[in-house]
């Protein structure tokens, strides 16, 4: 009997494989985007990826059909601005920080949010692991020579924007779910596409850049979002969140394979500590009635 992705009773292993492919697509797109930095600059690729990705999302979700109440408009604006700023800061950080390290630093934003307000002793373990990971990754002491402080700060800033994105998402998209991403991306594009084009390198105006930029948008937006929607409807929220903790490792692998980046043992240890902290926090998080709904709206980061 054939196995279809549309079958909600499909084997969990297939859903896990779909999610892993989505992560590989997302981080492969980030690697390809970074390879364009010499020609178009970090701000230029941000403008192209955000603008073209928005066109793809609008074609899929048709956000002009959505109706938002007065109470939803301010959260929607914050959501869109956070989405755009997150992309902008993340790509700026990639100029000087390895992809895996940047994603791990960005990941500390939602990890911190998940751990805030916890009162259990078990949660202290994940806090200690996360702090240890940051200590190994952030440019303290001798590591100042290997990680650019400004690049690290930009990645952490992207993580802070991710927190705003998570907090505003449920209020902005309570009625429209994943389609809210298209409207948020449209809001982000209005501000950050012109800003990115203003500071882009001259090579951005060459027609030869467009096919590669389209591939970046496809790998970073259309493919992962479509595949993640398949996985989200077939995997428990806990399992989905735990698997998403592998994102920094996938990013590091992508940077090594496609960009020739290398990580020191200390950086690998920091990356592993953050992955374990995120996975542990997800697995031991007390379930809430709306947990799955929030995960559907807010994960993964639209890099």
């Amino acid at each position: 009997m054939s196995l279809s992705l549309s079958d909600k009773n499909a084997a969990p292993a297939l859903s896990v494989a779909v999610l892993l492919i989505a992560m590989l697509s997302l981080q492969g797109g980030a690697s390809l985007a970074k390879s364009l930095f010499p020609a178009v600059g970090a701000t230029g690729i941000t403008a192209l990826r955000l603008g073209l990705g928005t066109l793809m999302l609008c074609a899929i979700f048709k956000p002009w059909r959505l109706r938002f109440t007065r109470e939803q408009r301010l959260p929607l604006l914050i959501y869109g601005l956070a989405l755009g700023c997150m992309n902008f800061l993340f790509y700026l950080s990639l100029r000087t920080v390895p992809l895996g390290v940047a994603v791990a630093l960005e990941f500390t934003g939602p990890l911190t949010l998940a751990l805030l307000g916890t009162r259990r002793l078990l949660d202290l373990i994940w806090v200690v692991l996360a702090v240890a990971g940051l200590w190994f990754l952030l440019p303290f002491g001798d590591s100042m020579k290997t990680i650019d402080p400004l690049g690290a700060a930009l990645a952490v800033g992207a993580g802070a924007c991710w927190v705003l994105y998570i907090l505003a998402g449920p209020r902005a998209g309570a009625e429209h779910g994943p389609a809210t991403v298209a409207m948020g991306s449209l809001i982000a594009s209005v501000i950050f596409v012109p800003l990115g084009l203003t500071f882009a390198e001259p090579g951005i105006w060459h027609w030869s850049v467009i096919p590669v930029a389209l591939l970046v948008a496809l790998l970073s937006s259309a493919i992962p979002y479509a595949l993640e929607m398949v996985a989200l409807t077939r995997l428990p929220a806990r399992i989905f969140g735990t698997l998403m903790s592998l994102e920094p490792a996938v990013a590091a692998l992508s940077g090594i394979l496609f960009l020739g980046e290398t990580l020191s043992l200390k950086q690998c240890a920091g990356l592993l500590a953050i992955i374990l902290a995120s996975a542990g926090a997800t697995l031991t998080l007390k379930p809430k009635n709306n947990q799955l709904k929030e995960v559907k709206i807010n994960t993964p980061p639209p890099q």
Side-chain angles (χ1 to χ4, degrees):
M1 182 176 65
S2 63
L3 191 60
S4 171
L5 286 179
S6 62
D7 181 9
K8 290 194 175 183
N9 295 318
L14 180 58
S15 298
V16 171
V18 165
L19 186 56
L20 290 175
I21 292 171
M23 284 191 278
L24 287 170
S25 175
L26 183 65
Q27 299 308 328
S31 295
L32 184 59
K34 186 169 182 177
S35 71
L36 287 177
F37 282 7
V40 303
T43 63
I45 196 59
T46 302
L48 289 174
R49 178 254 178 271
L50 190 57
L52 295 173
T54 297
L55 291 177
M56 293 179 182
L57 288 171
C58 288
I60 295 171
F61 292 112
K62 300 176 177 58
W64 53 87
R65 296 180 179 178
L66 305 180
R67 296 293 179 269
F68 294 90
T69 65
R70 182 175 299 179
E71 291 75 18
Q72 290 174 324
R73 289 171 190 167
L74 180 59
L76 178 64
L77 178 62
I78 296 173
Y79 176 83
L81 292 176
L83 189 155
C85 191
M86 178 170 57
N87 277 271
F88 199 76
L89 294 179
F90 178 76
Y91 280 119
L92 285 177
S93 74
L94 289 185
R95 294 179 302 177
T96 56
V97 174
L99 179 59
V101 174
V103 172
L105 291 174
E106 184 189 32
F107 224 75
T108 58
L111 174 59
T112 300
L113 181 63
L115 294 174
L116 280 177
T118 58
R119 297 293 183 268
R120 296 177 301 165
L121 181 61
L122 180 61
D123 294 321
L124 181 61
I125 297 175
W126 314 130
V127 172
V128 171
L129 269 176
V131 172
L134 282 175
W135 180 264
F136 288 137
L137 287 177
L138 288 175
F140 299 127
D142 294 337
S143 64
M144 286 285 288
K145 300 176 181 178
T146 58
I147 295 293
D148 173 54
L150 177 59
L154 290 169
V156 173
C161 291
W162 193 356
V163 171
L164 290 176
Y165 171 86
I166 291 172
L167 293 175
R171 294 184 62 189
E175 297 178 9
H176 308 297
T180 308
V181 177
M183 182 59 77
S185 188
L186 188 60
I187 293 171
S189 295
V190 170
I191 296 175
F192 289 97
V193 169
L195 182 63
L197 292 175
T198 299
F199 295 99
E201 297 293 331
I204 197 172
W205 305 110
H206 294 172
W207 285 106
S208 59
V209 171
I210 298 301
V212 185
L214 282 169
L215 184 57
V216 168
L218 185 66
L219 290 172
S220 301
S221 299
I223 291 178
Y225 290 162
L227 293 180
E228 281 150 7
M229 283 301 105
V230 172
L232 274 168
T233 58
R234 291 157 180 81
L235 288 174
R238 253 189 207 285
I239 302 302
F240 183 89
T242 303
L243 288 171
M244 287 304 300
S245 302
L246 295 174
E247 195 86 59
V250 175
L253 179 62
S254 180
I256 291 170
L257 291 178
F258 301 119
L259 298 173
E261 296 177 343
T262 58
L263 299 179
S264 67
L265 288 177
K266 188 175 182 180
Q267 291 163 1
C268 288
L271 192 147
L272 179 61
I274 289 175
I275 291 172
L276 291 175
S278 183
T282 302
L283 285 172
T284 60
L285 186 68
K286 288 185 177 180
K288 297 180 181 180
N289 293 334
N290 63 342
Q291 182 184 10
L292 181 57
K293 181 178 179 182
E294 291 181 1
V295 169
K296 284 186 177 183
I297 292 174
N298 295 308
T299 55
Q303 294 170 356

